[in-house]
Protein backbone atom coordinates (compact mmCIF):
# COMPACT_ATOMS: atom_id res chain seq x y z
CA UNK A 1 0.00 0.00 0.00
CA UNK A 2 2.91 2.33 0.77
CA UNK A 3 4.17 1.85 -2.79
CA UNK A 4 0.98 3.31 -4.34
CA UNK A 5 1.65 6.51 -6.34
CA UNK A 6 0.23 9.71 -4.82
CA UNK A 7 0.06 8.51 -1.19
CA UNK A 8 0.72 11.14 1.50
CA UNK A 9 4.38 11.40 2.44
CA UNK A 10 5.73 10.38 -0.99
CA UNK A 11 7.30 12.41 -3.83
CA UNK A 12 4.33 11.64 -6.13
CA UNK A 13 1.90 12.73 -3.37
CA UNK A 14 3.87 15.96 -2.94
CA UNK A 15 3.83 16.69 -6.70
CA UNK A 16 0.03 16.13 -6.83
CA UNK A 17 -0.48 18.50 -3.88
CA UNK A 18 1.74 21.12 -5.54
CA UNK A 19 -0.31 20.69 -8.76
CA UNK A 20 -3.56 21.19 -6.82
CA UNK A 21 -2.14 24.28 -5.10
CA UNK A 22 -0.88 25.83 -8.37
CA UNK A 23 -4.24 25.43 -10.18
CA UNK A 24 -6.26 26.63 -7.15
CA UNK A 25 -3.98 29.67 -6.65
CA UNK A 26 -4.11 30.45 -10.41
CA UNK A 27 -7.92 30.33 -10.29
CA UNK A 28 -7.97 32.66 -7.25
CA UNK A 29 -5.60 35.12 -9.00
CA UNK A 30 -7.59 35.07 -12.27
CA UNK A 31 -10.88 35.68 -10.41
CA UNK A 32 -9.42 38.40 -8.15
CA UNK A 33 -7.96 40.24 -11.17
CA UNK A 34 -11.38 40.31 -12.91
CA UNK A 35 -12.89 43.74 -12.27
CA UNK A 36 -16.30 43.54 -10.57
CA UNK A 37 -16.25 39.79 -9.87
CA UNK A 38 -17.78 40.46 -6.43
CA UNK A 39 -21.09 41.39 -8.09
CA UNK A 40 -21.58 37.73 -9.10
CA UNK A 41 -22.28 35.11 -6.43
CA UNK A 42 -20.85 32.25 -8.55
CA UNK A 43 -17.42 33.93 -8.76
CA UNK A 44 -17.44 34.86 -5.04
CA UNK A 45 -18.13 31.19 -4.30
CA UNK A 46 -15.38 30.18 -6.79
CA UNK A 47 -12.76 32.37 -5.12
CA UNK A 48 -13.76 31.16 -1.61
CA UNK A 49 -13.73 27.51 -2.64
CA UNK A 50 -10.43 27.78 -4.54
CA UNK A 51 -8.89 29.68 -1.60
CA UNK A 52 -9.88 26.86 0.77
CA UNK A 53 -8.51 24.28 -1.71
CA UNK A 54 -5.22 26.19 -2.03
CA UNK A 55 -4.80 26.36 1.78
CA UNK A 56 -5.63 22.64 2.18
CA UNK A 57 -3.23 21.59 -0.61
CA UNK A 58 -0.45 23.88 0.69
CA UNK A 59 -0.86 22.46 4.20
CA UNK A 60 -0.67 18.88 2.95
CA UNK A 61 2.29 19.71 0.68
CA UNK A 62 4.16 21.08 3.74
CA UNK A 63 3.25 17.90 5.65
CA UNK A 64 4.57 15.80 2.74
CA UNK A 65 7.85 17.80 2.76
CA UNK A 66 8.19 17.25 6.53
CA UNK A 67 7.49 13.51 6.16
CA UNK A 68 10.00 13.19 3.30
CA UNK A 69 12.73 15.17 5.11
CA UNK A 70 12.45 13.37 8.45
CA UNK A 71 11.30 10.04 6.96
CA UNK A 72 8.05 10.07 8.96
CA UNK A 73 5.18 7.67 8.31
CA UNK A 74 1.84 9.39 7.50
CA UNK A 75 -0.22 6.20 7.24
CA UNK A 76 -1.82 6.12 10.69
CA UNK A 77 -5.59 5.50 10.64
CA UNK A 78 -6.39 8.95 12.09
CA UNK A 79 -4.26 10.85 9.56
CA UNK A 80 -5.52 8.86 6.57
CA UNK A 81 -9.16 9.41 7.69
CA UNK A 82 -8.45 13.14 7.99
CA UNK A 83 -6.93 13.25 4.49
CA UNK A 84 -9.86 11.28 2.99
CA UNK A 85 -12.56 13.48 4.59
CA UNK A 86 -10.69 16.71 3.79
CA UNK A 87 -10.06 15.68 0.18
CA UNK A 88 -13.71 14.69 -0.35
CA UNK A 89 -15.03 17.95 1.14
CA UNK A 90 -12.64 20.20 -0.81
CA UNK A 91 -13.14 18.18 -4.03
CA UNK A 92 -16.96 18.46 -3.83
CA UNK A 93 -16.82 22.19 -3.00
CA UNK A 94 -14.33 22.87 -5.82
CA UNK A 95 -16.31 20.87 -8.38
CA UNK A 96 -19.57 22.63 -7.40
CA UNK A 97 -17.85 26.03 -7.64
CA UNK A 98 -16.30 25.20 -11.04
CA UNK A 99 -19.67 23.99 -12.41
CA UNK A 100 -21.65 27.00 -11.18
CA UNK A 101 -18.99 29.40 -12.55
CA UNK A 102 -19.03 27.50 -15.87
CA UNK A 103 -22.83 27.83 -16.00
CA UNK A 104 -22.54 31.61 -15.61
CA UNK A 105 -19.64 31.92 -18.09
CA UNK A 106 -21.57 29.99 -20.78
CA UNK A 107 -24.67 32.12 -20.07
CA UNK A 108 -22.68 35.36 -20.52
CA UNK A 109 -20.84 34.13 -23.61
CA UNK A 110 -23.36 32.04 -25.57
CA UNK A 111 -26.86 32.65 -24.21
CA UNK A 112 -27.32 36.36 -23.48
CA UNK A 113 -24.21 37.61 -25.39
CA UNK A 114 -23.23 39.81 -22.42
CA UNK A 115 -19.53 39.52 -23.37
CA UNK A 116 -20.16 41.04 -26.82
CA UNK A 117 -22.55 43.71 -25.59
CA UNK A 118 -20.63 44.82 -22.48
CA UNK A 119 -16.91 45.12 -23.24
CA UNK A 120 -16.18 46.05 -19.60
CA UNK A 121 -17.24 42.57 -18.46
CA UNK A 122 -13.99 40.58 -17.90
CA UNK A 123 -15.25 37.40 -19.63
CA UNK A 124 -11.73 36.24 -20.54
CA UNK A 125 -10.62 36.26 -16.89
CA UNK A 126 -13.81 34.52 -15.75
CA UNK A 127 -13.21 31.81 -18.39
CA UNK A 128 -9.57 31.46 -17.32
CA UNK A 129 -10.52 31.12 -13.62
CA UNK A 130 -13.13 28.46 -14.46
CA UNK A 131 -10.67 26.57 -16.68
CA UNK A 132 -8.09 26.47 -13.87
CA UNK A 133 -10.78 25.20 -11.48
CA UNK A 134 -11.59 22.34 -13.89
CA UNK A 135 -7.87 21.54 -14.33
CA UNK A 136 -7.71 21.28 -10.54
CA UNK A 137 -10.62 18.82 -10.71
CA UNK A 138 -8.53 16.76 -13.12
CA UNK A 139 -5.71 16.47 -10.55
CA UNK A 140 -7.91 15.42 -7.61
CA UNK A 141 -8.95 11.93 -8.89
CA UNK A 142 -5.27 10.95 -9.13
CA UNK A 143 -5.00 11.09 -5.35
CA UNK A 144 -5.53 7.47 -4.28
CA UNK A 145 -7.70 8.23 -1.25
CA UNK B 1 -22.81 -8.00 2.18
CA UNK B 2 -26.28 -8.98 0.95
CA UNK B 3 -27.80 -7.54 4.11
CA UNK B 4 -26.53 -4.01 3.39
CA UNK B 5 -29.38 -1.52 2.85
CA UNK B 6 -29.73 -0.18 -0.68
CA UNK B 7 -27.97 -3.07 -2.49
CA UNK B 8 -29.32 -3.95 -5.96
CA UNK B 9 -32.07 -6.56 -5.85
CA UNK B 10 -33.40 -5.57 -2.40
CA UNK B 11 -36.52 -3.63 -1.31
CA UNK B 12 -34.38 -0.76 0.04
CA UNK B 13 -32.43 -0.65 -3.25
CA UNK B 14 -35.68 -0.52 -5.18
CA UNK B 15 -37.04 2.32 -3.01
CA UNK B 16 -33.83 4.34 -3.51
CA UNK B 17 -34.03 3.84 -7.30
CA UNK B 18 -37.70 4.90 -7.29
CA UNK B 19 -36.71 8.00 -5.25
CA UNK B 20 -33.98 8.86 -7.78
CA UNK B 21 -36.41 8.39 -10.67
CA UNK B 22 -39.13 10.54 -9.06
CA UNK B 23 -36.77 13.48 -8.38
CA UNK B 24 -35.13 13.24 -11.82
CA UNK B 25 -38.52 13.06 -13.59
CA UNK B 26 -39.84 15.97 -11.48
CA UNK B 27 -36.80 18.05 -12.46
CA UNK B 28 -37.32 17.20 -16.16
CA UNK B 29 -41.04 18.16 -15.93
CA UNK B 30 -40.31 21.44 -14.10
CA UNK B 31 -37.64 22.43 -16.66
CA UNK B 32 -39.75 21.39 -19.67
CA UNK B 33 -42.72 23.41 -18.37
CA UNK B 34 -40.57 26.58 -18.06
CA UNK B 35 -41.23 28.67 -21.16
CA UNK B 36 -38.05 29.44 -23.11
CA UNK B 37 -35.73 27.16 -21.12
CA UNK B 38 -34.03 26.10 -24.41
CA UNK B 39 -32.46 29.56 -24.69
CA UNK B 40 -30.21 28.76 -21.69
CA UNK B 41 -27.47 26.13 -22.04
CA UNK B 42 -27.46 25.33 -18.30
CA UNK B 43 -31.14 24.28 -18.37
CA UNK B 44 -30.70 22.30 -21.62
CA UNK B 45 -27.85 20.44 -19.90
CA UNK B 46 -30.03 20.01 -16.78
CA UNK B 47 -32.90 18.44 -18.72
CA UNK B 48 -30.52 16.13 -20.66
CA UNK B 49 -28.70 15.03 -17.53
CA UNK B 50 -31.89 14.50 -15.52
CA UNK B 51 -33.43 12.58 -18.45
CA UNK B 52 -30.42 10.24 -18.52
CA UNK B 53 -30.61 9.84 -14.73
CA UNK B 54 -34.35 9.07 -14.91
CA UNK B 55 -33.78 6.39 -17.59
CA UNK B 56 -30.89 4.83 -15.64
CA UNK B 57 -32.87 4.76 -12.36
CA UNK B 58 -36.00 3.40 -14.06
CA UNK B 59 -33.95 0.64 -15.71
CA UNK B 60 -32.34 -0.37 -12.43
CA UNK B 61 -35.70 -0.19 -10.61
CA UNK B 62 -37.14 -2.63 -13.20
CA UNK B 63 -34.11 -4.88 -12.69
CA UNK B 64 -34.66 -4.74 -8.90
CA UNK B 65 -38.35 -5.69 -9.40
CA UNK B 66 -37.32 -8.64 -11.61
CA UNK B 67 -34.71 -9.79 -9.07
CA UNK B 68 -37.20 -9.52 -6.19
CA UNK B 69 -39.99 -11.35 -8.09
CA UNK B 70 -37.85 -14.23 -9.33
CA UNK B 71 -35.43 -14.18 -6.38
CA UNK B 72 -32.41 -13.60 -8.63
CA UNK B 73 -28.97 -12.67 -7.34
CA UNK B 74 -27.60 -9.37 -8.75
CA UNK B 75 -24.23 -9.54 -7.00
CA UNK B 76 -22.06 -10.93 -9.80
CA UNK B 77 -18.80 -9.00 -10.33
CA UNK B 78 -19.79 -7.83 -13.84
CA UNK B 79 -23.21 -6.49 -12.75
CA UNK B 80 -21.85 -4.75 -9.64
CA UNK B 81 -19.06 -3.10 -11.74
CA UNK B 82 -21.69 -1.92 -14.22
CA UNK B 83 -23.84 -0.44 -11.42
CA UNK B 84 -20.83 1.29 -9.82
CA UNK B 85 -19.60 2.86 -13.09
CA UNK B 86 -23.13 3.85 -14.18
CA UNK B 87 -23.95 5.37 -10.78
CA UNK B 88 -20.69 7.35 -10.71
CA UNK B 89 -21.18 8.70 -14.24
CA UNK B 90 -24.84 9.68 -13.73
CA UNK B 91 -24.10 11.12 -10.25
CA UNK B 92 -21.26 13.34 -11.55
CA UNK B 93 -23.31 14.50 -14.57
CA UNK B 94 -26.37 15.24 -12.38
CA UNK B 95 -24.33 17.11 -9.76
CA UNK B 96 -22.58 19.20 -12.45
CA UNK B 97 -25.95 20.00 -14.08
CA UNK B 98 -27.53 20.94 -10.73
CA UNK B 99 -24.59 23.21 -9.82
CA UNK B 100 -24.48 25.01 -13.18
CA UNK B 101 -28.28 25.51 -13.10
CA UNK B 102 -27.99 26.81 -9.51
CA UNK B 103 -25.29 29.26 -10.62
CA UNK B 104 -27.60 30.65 -13.31
CA UNK B 105 -30.66 30.74 -10.99
CA UNK B 106 -28.73 32.70 -8.33
CA UNK B 107 -27.40 35.07 -11.03
CA UNK B 108 -30.94 35.76 -12.32
CA UNK B 109 -32.44 36.14 -8.86
CA UNK B 110 -29.78 37.89 -6.75
CA UNK B 111 -27.08 39.32 -8.99
CA UNK B 112 -28.69 40.90 -12.09
CA UNK B 113 -32.30 40.95 -10.76
CA UNK B 114 -33.57 39.48 -14.04
CA UNK B 115 -36.51 37.81 -12.23
CA UNK B 116 -37.79 41.17 -10.94
CA UNK B 117 -37.18 43.04 -14.20
CA UNK B 118 -38.51 40.41 -16.63
CA UNK B 119 -41.75 38.88 -15.35
CA UNK B 120 -41.93 36.52 -18.34
CA UNK B 121 -38.79 34.72 -17.13
CA UNK B 122 -40.00 31.51 -15.38
CA UNK B 123 -37.63 31.85 -12.41
CA UNK B 124 -39.92 29.84 -10.09
CA UNK B 125 -39.84 26.82 -12.40
CA UNK B 126 -36.07 27.09 -12.86
CA UNK B 127 -35.65 27.16 -9.06
CA UNK B 128 -37.98 24.17 -8.66
CA UNK B 129 -36.10 22.13 -11.30
CA UNK B 130 -32.75 22.92 -9.63
CA UNK B 131 -34.14 22.04 -6.18
CA UNK B 132 -35.35 18.64 -7.44
CA UNK B 133 -31.91 18.03 -9.00
CA UNK B 134 -30.25 18.71 -5.61
CA UNK B 135 -32.78 16.45 -3.81
CA UNK B 136 -31.77 13.74 -6.29
CA UNK B 137 -28.15 14.35 -5.30
CA UNK B 138 -29.18 13.74 -1.69
CA UNK B 139 -30.55 10.27 -2.59
CA UNK B 140 -27.46 9.11 -4.54
CA UNK B 141 -25.00 8.89 -1.59
CA UNK B 142 -27.34 6.43 0.16
CA UNK B 143 -26.63 3.86 -2.56
CA UNK B 144 -23.84 1.74 -1.06
CA UNK B 145 -21.82 1.41 -4.28
Amino acid sequence: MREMAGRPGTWSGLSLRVGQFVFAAASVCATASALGFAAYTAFCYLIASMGLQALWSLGLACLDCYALKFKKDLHSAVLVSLFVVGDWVTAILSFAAACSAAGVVVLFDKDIYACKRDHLLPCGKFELATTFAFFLGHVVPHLPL
Side-chain angles (χ1 to χ4, degrees), chain A:
Chain A
M1 197 162 171
R2 287 184 193 183
E3 301 305 314
M4 194 185 271
R7 295 285 299 176
T10 62
W11 284 106
S12 55
L14 177 62
S15 61
L16 283 173
R17 294 293 170 192
V18 170
Q20 277 189 317
F21 173 74
V22 167
F23 284 123
S27 183
V28 168
C29 292
T31 313
S33 68
L35 207 71
F37 81 89
Y40 306 104
T41 310
F43 297 109
C44 294
Y45 176 42
L46 184 70
I47 205 168
S49 175
M50 290 296 127
L52 178 71
Q53 178 72 62
L55 285 176
W56 171 256
S57 299
L58 185 65
L60 288 202
C62 292
L63 200 64
D64 280 344
C65 285
Y66 167 79
L68 283 167
K69 191 172 180 189
F70 297 102
K71 296 196 192 318
K72 295 278 181 189
D73 187 9
L74 295 180
H75 299 100
S76 75
V78 177
L79 273 181
V80 170
S81 307
L82 183 75
F83 297 155
V84 170
V85 173
D87 271 330
W88 267 100
V89 170
T90 52
I92 289 172
L93 289 179
S94 300
F95 187 59
C99 290
S100 61
V104 173
V105 164
V106 171
L107 181 91
F108 281 166
D109 202 25
K110 306 275 180 197
D111 299 337
I112 60 173
Y113 304 107
C115 298
K116 278 184 189 161
R117 283 190 289 132
D118 182 0
H119 291 286
L120 289 177
L121 199 67
C123 286
K125 286 179 180 171
F126 286 155
E127 280 168 26
L128 198 65
T130 310
T131 309
F132 282 133
F134 275 110
F135 271 126
L136 165 75
H138 184 71
V139 174
V140 174
H142 295 104
L143 295 167
L145 292 173

